Structure formats: structure tokens, C-alpha cells
Amino acid sequence: MCGIVGIINEGNISVKNDLLKSLKRLEYRGYDSVGFADVQGNVEKDIGEISKFMDSIKDYKTSCAISHTRWATHGGVTKTNSHPHWNSKKNIFTVHNGIIENYEELKKELISKGHEFITETDSEIISHFFDEELKSKTMIEAIKSFIRRIKGTYAILIIEKGKNRIYAIKKDSPLVLGLAKDRFYLASDIYAFSDNTNKAIFFEDEEFAIVDPDRYSFYDLNGNELKKSIYEFTWAITQEESVKDYPHYMIKEIHEQPISSQRLLNSLDGEQHEKVAKIANLIKNSKRVVFTAAGSSYYASLLGVYFLNRIGINAHTLIASEFQNFMLVDKDTLLIAISQSGETMDVVTATKWARERGAKIVSLVNVPHSTLQRISDISLEIHAGPEISVAATKTFTNQVVALLYLSYILGFSINMKTIPEKIDYVINENEESIKHLANELYDKKDIYIIGRGLSYPPSREMALKLKEISYIHAEGMMGGELKHGTIALIEPGTPVIALIPGKDFDMHSNAKEVEARGARVIKIANMMESDFKIDVTINDGKFAILSVVIGQLLTYYIARKKGLPIDKPRNLAKSVTVK
Ligand code: G6P
């Protein structure tokens, strides 16, 4: 989490219109506080969002500056704890994404040498560390010593007052150099500059770079200069960039799903087809197929397991943060890692761990050239286009579409072609009634969602949406498990959403069981009595996507009724790059 952006330019840039505009594109990585520093020594920072900050500062002009948008880990959300941080002489400024694990030990050491610390953060040690090292070393030597001494994860930008140059260092947190016509960007991800250039160089772990207005050089941890490749990336931006027709990105992105799923289908039939065939072969020929992911991507992976199991392929999934504790991996294992951002630290860590044990790695990512993609043997892109709202909506759907497609190639029975039109139908036919339901449910404290088989992962995904965006405690659970405890919480009027795919009579009975105890049961079904219209036939895999789309809309309209910050819910970030 946290986003960092630095710009270095031949002439001057505007801090507001260039630097902070770029930083704003990374705001989904965290939005607790914001700040910048330039080579003239100007520094401004504050808590809150970037647009408010932009209104509060004058428009500085500079040729070189760094900036940061924070998701707090060490130290509360205060102006002092915001980045950039500086040394006691206030001539070295740093921004950091990641966690310095041995900061307490280093801080003590630096304090004993006379350094004064003013924040509660781990990151503040960086500027003091360099101040100390630069007393006797060149910057290259100081960076080498930093990489040797520091335990933890970091993407760091450093500037020195009066020097037109940015130093950038990376380990385990993402960092990329953007090559635009008149300037270089250093940023957490390509989205910071993808409106300006599609040329980028990705940092690998323990690499650093020195970037001047007219040149850059990369080094390994021993200070040897490296020759790096320039990548040209393509983003599926099309007509989806503007939010102006919608009050929030979340509803815009929900409405985009017919288009974004169609775009993915076209690419799976077209330029990605060869990769799909290779992955299908790997799935068929591996002794063990395991998925890993976090958040919504995990619920998509659960569906992947369901689809593969239906066609006789044994597969399992495990949340990435617990992967190493509960999963056996060897050289006959195929790991399928799913991540929208491709940067989620737990997913990247689990994947590296599996790779070290000889597993083959397949990934499904949305962000091209992301870390996960780069450490995979084969990576499918889900082509959802940039997703700005913290809530995963269109990216979840496209992950499921990709998994359905893979399963379809391997023998799962489904008509893939109709997915976009069925999503369109569900949105158009149900949006108004969902608004009414949102008015009824918005002040509830708890909502339960029950599902079975095909509808169990959607029950979890819906609950996650309700928790993160509408701040309602929600539990998605297996219908069959309800009577083993949770049913004790059902009181007259408790909302229970029952997801009933096809003619699942057991699921129907579970709904009846809670109804008998006074629950307000809301049914989402395709072949039985339903409160919503879903136009798919019996046991169609599309039910999983369509029921989640209803959950997305319900969440959105509840959050709207409650006046919540829909696109940037409290305490969350879209890309979680710390453990
Ligand atoms: C965060 C986001 C979720 C997302 C999860 C996994 O928690 O708020 O929306 O599902 O990370 O992210 P990934 O990029 O790995 O799919």
C-alpha cells in the first residue's frame, strides 16, 4: 500500500498539475495522508485526500520532486507521520512504501549519533540513515550499505536539496520508471503515468537507479550497472476513463461489466488463446492444482476450484497469507495465483515460495507487467481496464469469466458467449428494485448470505462487498453450515439473502429454515421463486457472476443511502503491498 511518485524533468513541472495529478492516480493504494518535497527544499504534507491537499497549497514549480499517498502502518494518521520524511538538517527528503522491520534497532543507533526523530514511523529512519552514511560515503556506497542493513520491504525515492536527481531503491514493494517524452517518472505502478507514456522499466528486488533529467542508470545490490529492458504496455482504457456520467467509480465500473467481460472474451478467443491452451494443458498434466489469492480474488479462485472439480480435476485454493502454513507444494504442483493488482504482497510472497519449491506458476492479473505477472511462467490478463474504486467489481467478474473459459476449454459445459448480455439484463432489470431493497436494508446491523456449491463463493464475495463498502456486518456462508451455530443469531426481521442456483432443493430448504425463525429472506434464484430477475438456465455457471452483480448493486445503493465514501472506504486500500 501507499503510492509514491517522483518526477524529474528538463524544464519545470507544476507540483499540482503534474506531480500530484499523477499521485492522484495512485490514490487507491492508500488515502490517509499526502505530501511532496522538491529539490528547492519545499515540503508540504497533510492528512486527508489529495484533492483537498491540492486546494490548500500554492502551485510550486520545480524540475524534480517526490510525493507520497499513505496507508498508515507504523504511526497514526497525523500530519507529522505523513511522508516525505527528512533528516535533522532537512536537506534529504524520502518517501517510502513498505515496512522497515529493523527500524527500532537502527533508530536507537542513529539517535546515539545525534539524530533527532520527530515521527512515530518506521520510514523516518531512511533519511537519517542516508544523512549518516553520506558523511563518509558516496551515494552509491550508501545505497549498497542500506540494502545490506535494512530488513523489510521498500520502494523508496530520495532527493537531496539543491541536486536535480532522484535515487530510487526497491525490494519487495513495486517500483517502476516511466519514460515520457520530456520527463522521467518513478512510481509504484504504471497507472501513475499511463496517460502520458506506455514505456516503462521495472525494478527487480534489490536494484536501485539514479535518475537525472536526461539520463538514468540502474544498478544491482553490489553497485554494478545493469542493462534493463524497456517494456511497452497497453491498457484497455477505451471509453471507460471518464467518470463524469456517474456519481462514483463503483457504479460506473459495475455498469461497465458487459463491455469489459466482452473485451476479455474477445481476447481469450483471440490473442490470448494460445496461452489459454497452454494453461489448460498444464492443468491437465499437473499432479496438484492449487490456487492462491486474497480478498475478492480469493472468492474468484473458489469458483475456479468448483468449476474444475465439476469436470473431474482436483483443485484446491488457499488464502495467500496462510498459504505456506496449510499448503503442500512441490515440482508437480501447478499454482494459479489470482490478483487484480498483481502486487498484493501475500500473493507475491506465496507465489515466490511455491516457485522456490519447483511449482509451475500461472497467474491471472489485471495490471500488465505487475510483479505477479513477471514471476509467472504464464500469465493471463483479464482485461478489465483500470479499476479505480477500492471495491473489486468488474475485475472480480472478469476473473470468473477467465476461470469459466479455462474450465470450458477443459470440458465444463457453458455458453460463454452470452455472459455480457446476461450481465446487461441483470443490471437493467433489477437496478430499480435493488434501490428499494437498499432503502429497506440500509440501517440493518447484520446481513447473512447463504449459498451452496456454485453459489457459496458468491455468498462470500457479496458479504465482503457489504462489509467494505456499506459498513454492514455481513457473513457469507454455506447454507448447510448455518444450522451448526449461526442460526442462533437469526431473529425476527434479520435479513438473509439466499442464493439458489438451479433447482437446489437443499438450498431452498436452508432458506425455509431461517424463514421459519422469522428471518427476512431475500431470494436470488434462476429456476425457483426469486426476488430478482436472472435469465439463465439450470445450474449455469453464469449464476455465480450474476448473483454477485446483484450484490454489487445492493452494496452500492446501501452505501449511497448512508452517504458513505463509496470509492474510498475507511481504512482500506485497493492494493495491499504489506503483509
Ligand atoms: C484489497 C482490496 C480488495 C482486493 C484484495 C486483493 O483488500 O481492497 O478489493 O480483492 O486486496 O487484491 P488483488 O489486487 O490481489 O486482487
Side-chain angles (χ1 to χ4, degrees):
M1 4 261 285
C2 299
I4 60 177
V5 178
I7 299 183
I8 183 157
N9 206 70
E10 292 271 14
N12 274 344
I13 56 150
S14 146
V15 165
K16 276 192 199 185
N17 297 327
D18 295 296
L19 184 69
L20 296 176
K21 200 179 118 222
S22 264
L23 187 69
K24 200 158 167 34
R25 295 168 69 93
L26 298 190
E27 206 171 18
Y28 65 82
R29 301 179 65 89
Y31 32 83
D32 288 335
S33 63
V34 52
F36 87 94
D38 67 18
V39 275
Q40 289 95 312
N42 299 306
V43 198
E44 298 265 11
K45 53 187 186 176
D46 210 344
I47 56 169
E49 291 180 17
I50 296 174
S51 40
K52 195 180 106 218
F53 178 71
M54 281 160 98
D55 291 342
S56 72
I57 60 166
K58 72 172 205 197
D59 192 14
Y60 294 91
K61 300 278 190 270
T62 182
S63 54
C64 173
I66 56 176
S67 61
H68 186 274
T69 180
R70 181 169 187 238
W71 187 85
T73 59
H74 293 53
V77 180
T78 64
K79 183 171 172 172
T80 310
N81 288 338
S82 311
H83 297 223
H85 297 302
W86 49 80
N87 57 337
S88 309
K89 292 191 288 265
K90 217 175 175 180
N91 61 353
I92 299 174
F93 300 95
T94 55
V95 289
H96 169 220
N97 167 212
I99 291 175
I100 308 292
E101 287 165 11
N102 56 341
Y103 79 99
E104 279 171 340
E105 164 201 330
L106 292 161
K107 191 167 171 176
K108 264 193 214 136
E109 195 178 305
L110 289 159
I111 289 173
S112 73
K113 290 180 178 157
H115 291 262
E116 281 173 30
F117 284 77
I118 50 177
T119 81
E120 303 154 345
T121 66
D122 54 330
S123 310
E124 193 186 4
I125 68 115
I126 301 166
S127 41
H128 293 275
F129 182 95
F130 279 97
D131 187 7
E132 192 57 37
E133 293 285 301
L134 289 173
K135 286 179 184 161
S136 58
K137 292 185 178 121
T138 63
M139 186 54 117
I140 289 192
E141 289 305 316
I143 294 176
K144 279 163 59 183
S145 138
F146 180 85
I147 296 174
R148 272 197 308 274
R149 288 287 318 268
I150 299 295
K151 292 199 180 72
T153 60
Y154 46 83
I156 293 168
L157 303 180
I158 307 169
I159 56 171
E160 291 177 277
K161 189 172 170 183
K163 282 192 195 156
N164 220 5
R165 169 174 276 191
I166 302 180
Y167 301 95
I169 325 171
K170 179 245 172 6
K171 182 173 164 268
D172 290 330
S173 298
L175 189 60
V176 57
L177 174 74
L179 313 167
K181 213 161 63 210
D182 57 345
R183 69 185 64 158
F184 295 122
Y185 291 87
L186 286 145
S188 300
D189 68 48
I190 55 171
Y191 196 47
F193 50 77
S194 57
D195 57 335
N196 205 342
T197 176
N198 68 342
K199 291 194 179 64
I201 299 179
F202 295 89
F203 287 70
E204 297 305 331
D205 284 342
E206 301 190 319
E207 285 182 1
F208 65 95
I210 299 177
V211 185
D212 293 330
D214 57 344
R215 69 182 300 273
Y216 59 84
S217 26
F218 277 79
Y219 302 87
D220 68 11
L221 75 169
N222 298 315
N224 301 313
E225 197 164 341
L226 298 166
K227 207 168 156 32
K228 300 275 293 180
S229 313
I230 299 175
Y231 287 90
E232 290 196 16
F233 58 86
T234 45
W235 253 120
I237 294 177
T238 63
Q239 69 274 45
E240 300 159 11
E241 267 283 70
S242 162
V243 71
K244 64 179 186 309
D245 298 333
Y246 294 93
H248 299 95
Y249 277 105
M250 183 177 177
I251 189 69
K252 168 184 172 278
E253 288 159 1
I254 292 172
H255 275 259
E256 267 167 30
Q257 292 178 104
I259 299 176
S260 52
S261 57
Q262 184 63 61
R263 185 171 50 233
L264 173 60
L265 287 173
N266 294 346
S267 119
L268 295 173
D269 282 339
E271 85 274 2
Q272 293 204 95
H273 199 73
E274 211 174 297
K275 276 199 277 183
V276 173
K278 281 190 188 152
I279 297 171
N281 257 330
L282 277 175
I283 293 176
K284 264 196 296 202
N285 298 323
S286 300
K287 197 171 91 191
R288 194 179 295 125
V289 179
V290 294
F291 288 86
T292 196
S296 296
S297 301
Y298 169 71
Y299 300 127
S301 78
L302 262 180
L303 281 166
V305 169
Y306 176 85
F307 302 143
L308 291 180
N309 285 356
R310 294 280 75 67
I311 48 171
I313 295 169
N314 194 11
H316 299 276
T317 184
L318 196 62
I319 290 274
S321 57
E322 288 295 333
F323 194 75
Q324 300 173 34
N325 298 331
F326 292 94
M327 192 59 87
L328 256 188
V329 159
D330 61 19
K331 63 174 181 24
D332 299 320
T333 305
L334 171 66
L335 175 76
I336 307 182
I338 306 183
S339 172
Q340 183 285 128
S341 60
E343 301 295 349
T344 301
M345 174 71 85
D346 290 329
V347 180
V348 170
T349 307
T351 304
K352 286 181 177 167
W353 181 81
R355 209 188 158 85
E356 281 161 19
R357 274 147 194 82
K360 290 251 165 358
I361 312 294
V362 164
S363 63
L364 262 61
V365 301
N366 190 41
V367 179
H369 299 293
S370 48
T371 303
L372 184 61
Q373 179 166 83
R374 286 180 287 124
I375 59 175
S376 305
D377 296 306
I378 310 180
S379 184
L380 268 192
E381 286 177 19
I382 61 160
H383 286 313
E387 188 177 66
I388 309 298
S389 182
V390 162
T393 53
K394 60 176 180 165
T395 56
F396 171 82
T397 292
N398 272 21
Q399 288 168 344
V400 180
V401 170
L403 291 165
L404 272 170
Y405 194 96
L406 269 171
S407 312
Y408 163 72
I409 297 282
L410 288 159
F412 187 81
S413 164
I414 183 171
N415 180 357
M416 295 296 297
K417 286 194 171 41
T418 56
I419 291 176
E421 72 198 52
K422 300 289 180 189
I423 299 175
D424 200 38
Y425 176 88
V426 161
I427 296 174
N428 288 331
E429 292 295 316
N430 297 299
E431 196 160 6
E432 281 311 309
S433 56
I434 291 171
K435 286 181 194 168
H436 292 297
L437 182 62
N439 287 344
E440 181 196 324
L441 298 184
Y442 79 97
D443 58 354
K444 299 288 179 195
K445 289 223 156 9
D446 313 284
I447 297 182
Y448 296 90
I449 303 128
I450 51 175
R452 258 177 195 264
L454 180 62
S455 70
Y456 167 62
S459 75
R460 303 283 306 271
E461 171 59 10
M462 262 195 199
L464 180 66
K465 289 282 92 77
L466 284 165
K467 282 186 278 196
E468 61 184 354
I469 310 301
S470 66
Y471 301 168
I472 293 179
H473 166 250
E475 270 188 57
M477 58 184 312
M478 298 164 181
E481 195 60 15
L482 189 73
K483 51 181 128 355
H484 297 290
T486 309
I487 203 163
L489 299 171
I490 304 296
E491 292 172 357
T494 305
V496 177
I497 302 176
L499 310 183
I500 313 178
K503 292 187 174 161
D504 190 329
F505 290 106
D506 291 336
M507 196 51 239
H508 188 64
S509 305
N510 296 145
K512 286 281 172 211
E513 287 156 15
V514 285
E515 206 166 52
R517 283 151 183 91
R520 156 76 169 104
V521 174
I522 299 139
K523 292 189 193 124
I524 302 183
N526 55 330
M527 299 298 287
M528 292 189 182
E529 183 202 335
S530 173
D531 290 289
F532 302 97
K533 293 185 187 157
I534 294 192
D535 175 29
V536 294
T537 50
I538 196 159
N539 285 335
D540 188 322
K542 289 190 275 291
F543 181 84
I545 295 175
L546 303 176
S547 52
V548 168
V549 170
I550 290 172
Q552 295 168 350
L553 287 166
L554 181 63
T555 298
Y556 174 77
Y557 285 110
I558 290 179
R560 201 162 150 186
K561 173 87 184 161
K562 290 170 86 168
L564 297 175
I566 291 178
D567 288 330
K568 292 183 197 133
R570 78 178 161 223
N571 302 340
L572 295 179
K574 191 163 185 67
S575 182
V576 181
T577 56
V578 291
K579 278 190 192 168

